[in-house]
Amino acid sequence: MRKNKNRGYQQLRVWNDAIDYYAETCRVFRGFPYELNRVTRQAIASSDSVHRNIAEGYCRRSIHEYLNYLNIALGSLGESVSGLHAYRKSEQLPFEEFEALDSLAYK
């Protein structure tokens, strides 16, 4: 791994968990039918935003900015999990896949 002070976020457990959450979200939603393309794009985009905001905040110059970006990441996670509940209730997302994603999000 390359040494750079702006890459220290890669050592954060929360960032690695967010990457895992994004990868699992992509895996689950990749199989959705074309009619649900908008749902798929939104689910992937909101999960993608979590790890990106953690990294961006880490690379900022002040703790205030860092905390602000962590709050944005938390908001993106809330958006993502809210979607999971809606997809599950509408029977678009099987229970097993919902549980797997919800467990990662809770982590």
Side-chain angles (χ1 to χ4, degrees):
M1 185 175 290
R2 295 183 179 120
K3 298 244 182 209
N4 183 318
K5 68 179 182 173
N6 287 336
R7 293 186 185 205
Y9 61 85
Q10 294 175 349
Q11 303 302 314
L12 298 175
R13 187 170 135 200
V14 69
W15 181 81
N16 283 289
D17 289 345
I19 291 289
D20 292 343
Y21 180 67
Y22 170 73
E24 183 66 10
T25 299
C26 288
R27 186 196 67 74
V28 167
F29 284 90
R30 191 174 293 130
F32 266 45
Y34 181 77
E35 306 84 62
L36 298 174
N37 196 24
R38 185 181 158 283
V39 166
T40 300
R41 286 193 323 265
Q42 182 59 35
I44 291 172
S46 61
S47 67
D48 186 41
S49 184
V50 178
H51 69 88
R52 289 177 180 276
N53 279 297
I54 293 168
E56 185 170 354
Y58 187 93
C59 295
R60 293 294 173 150
R61 301 244 182 242
S62 73
I63 192 71
H64 177 73
E65 285 182 296
Y66 180 43
L67 293 174
N68 184 49
Y69 276 89
L70 291 179
N71 281 322
I72 294 168
L74 186 59
S76 294
L77 185 62
E79 176 186 0
S80 183
V81 170
S82 176
L84 295 178
H85 283 277
Y87 309 144
R88 177 66 203 126
K89 188 165 188 166
S90 64
E91 298 178 354
Q92 294 170 321
L93 185 64
F95 179 76
E96 297 77 24
E97 291 177 336
F98 169 82
E99 278 296 310
L101 287 168
D102 192 50
S103 293
L104 283 172
Y106 182 77
K107 201 174 172 184

